[in-house]
């Protein structure tokens, strides 16, 4: 695990580098999708700005709920100074940021379908930074278990020299597969907002189960904090997907048409 790369006289933080590359990739995919759908306008760019700002704030402040004992949590000043690496906090912050930006800009259109593939690809790239710098996962006897240096922070298994689940590699594979599936679904599921719902629901399910092999601390009933955060979310998302299915939003009736047909510009 190498937290920094030395490039000449400059030290480059590995995690921050890949997070930045992920954000850049997400913005490029968003702009590409907006152009394809004829949705490049001032309002969509405001939504992107809201997502970036909200995501950054969400990641910084997500450490405020790190402990069940709230007196052990950092202050807002400490959380902002030292930050956090919670992807869930970043996603929640980005979602709130988009809602606020759209409300302030008076934009009523749905932008979630533009964000879905962008977020999936950005997450895949950003997780490379986690894979290279953070504790990989829980001990395993599976043949693809990995060993991390004993100096890896918050990793008792690393000190013991145990093989561990490459949990971030699992997520990279999931996000790349999600990106491919979303790109395939984009001309087939045309009801506004449903592509985003599918992605969020799939990621919530994946993240809940991958937590069983991650290095996060369990807090109650052998579940981690992200899992307790996800439990009510899974119930709400399950209901939302069921309702969309009942209303026929996920019927793929146009699979034979061209996948990348672009609507004519007005």
């Amino acid at each position: 695990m190498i937290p920094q790369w030395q490039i000449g006289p400059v030290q480059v933080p590995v995690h921050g580098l890949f997070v930045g590359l992920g954000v850049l990739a997400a913005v490029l995919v968003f702009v590409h999708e907006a152009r394809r759908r004829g949705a490049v306008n001032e309002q969509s760019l405001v939504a992107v700005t809201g997502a970036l700002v909200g995501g950054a704030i969400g990641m910084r402040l997500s450490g405020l709920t790190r402990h069940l004992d709230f007196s052990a949590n950092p202050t807002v000043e400490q959380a902002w100074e030292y930050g956090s690496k919670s992807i869930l906090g970043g996603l929640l912050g980005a979602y709130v940021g988009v809602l606020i930006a759209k409300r302030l800009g008076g934009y009523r259109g749905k932008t979630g379908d533009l964000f879905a593939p962008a977020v999936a690809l950005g997450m895949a790239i950003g997780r490379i930074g986690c894979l290279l710098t953070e504790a990989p996962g829980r001990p395993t006897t599976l043949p693809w278990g990995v060993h991390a240096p004993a100096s890896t922070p918050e990793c008792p298994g690393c000190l013991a020299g145990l093989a561990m689940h490459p949990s971030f590699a699992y997520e990279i594979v999931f996000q790349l597969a999600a990106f491919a599936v979303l790109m395939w679904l984009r001309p087939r599921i045309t009801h506004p907002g449903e592509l985003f719902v599918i992605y969020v629901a799939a990621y919530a399910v994946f993240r809940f189960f991958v937590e069983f092999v991650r290095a996060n601390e369990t807090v109650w009933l052998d579940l981690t904090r992200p899992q307790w955060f996800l439990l009510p979310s899974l119930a709400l998302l399950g209901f939302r997907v069921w309702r969309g299915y009942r209303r026929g939003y996920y019927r793929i009736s146009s699979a034979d048409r061209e996948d990348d047909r672009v609507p004519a510009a007005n």
Side-chain angles (χ1 to χ4, degrees), residues 64-106:
L64 290 174
T65 57
R66 183 175 181 180
H67 304 285
L68 293 179
D69 178 6
F70 291 109
S71 64
N73 288 322
T75 65
V76 174
E77 181 180 356
Q78 290 171 331
W80 186 259
E81 181 179 358
Y82 298 108
S84 176
K85 296 178 180 179
S86 171
I87 291 295
L88 292 177
L91 287 175
L92 180 59
Y95 179 71
V96 173
V98 170
L99 292 181
I100 294 174
K102 289 168 65 174
R103 176 63 62 88
L104 292 176

Side-chain angles (χ1 to χ4, degrees), residues 2-7 9-18:
I2 304 175
Q4 294 182 330
W5 283 339
Q6 189 74 34
I7 302 178
V10 179
Q11 286 189 334
V12 179
V14 174
H15 185 272
L17 172 64
F18 281 99

Side-chain angles (χ1 to χ4, degrees), residues 200-222:
V200 172
Y203 179 62
V205 172
F206 167 82
R207 180 61 189 269
F208 182 86
F209 285 104
V210 83
E211 279 291 311
F212 287 111
V213 300
R214 289 191 62 179
N216 291 331
E217 176 188 6
T218 58
V219 293
W220 191 39
L221 299 179
D222 287 331

Side-chain angles (χ1 to χ4, degrees), residues 78-162:
Q78 290 171 331
W80 186 259
E81 181 179 358
Y82 298 108
S84 176
K85 296 178 180 179
S86 171
I87 291 295
L88 292 177
L91 287 175
L92 180 59
Y95 179 71
V96 173
V98 170
L99 292 181
I100 294 174
K102 289 168 65 174
R103 176 63 62 88
L104 292 176
Y107 183 56
R108 297 182 177 275
K110 292 184 178 294
T111 55
D113 292 342
L114 304 177
F115 278 108
V119 170
L121 182 60
M123 290 271 286
I125 296 173
R127 280 307 195 190
I128 297 175
C130 299
L131 179 67
L132 296 176
T133 60
E134 297 185 26
R138 298 182 186 179
T140 181
T141 57
L142 293 172
W144 56 78
V146 298
H147 293 82
S151 59
T152 304
E154 301 180 3
C155 183
C158 301
L159 290 172
L162 300 175

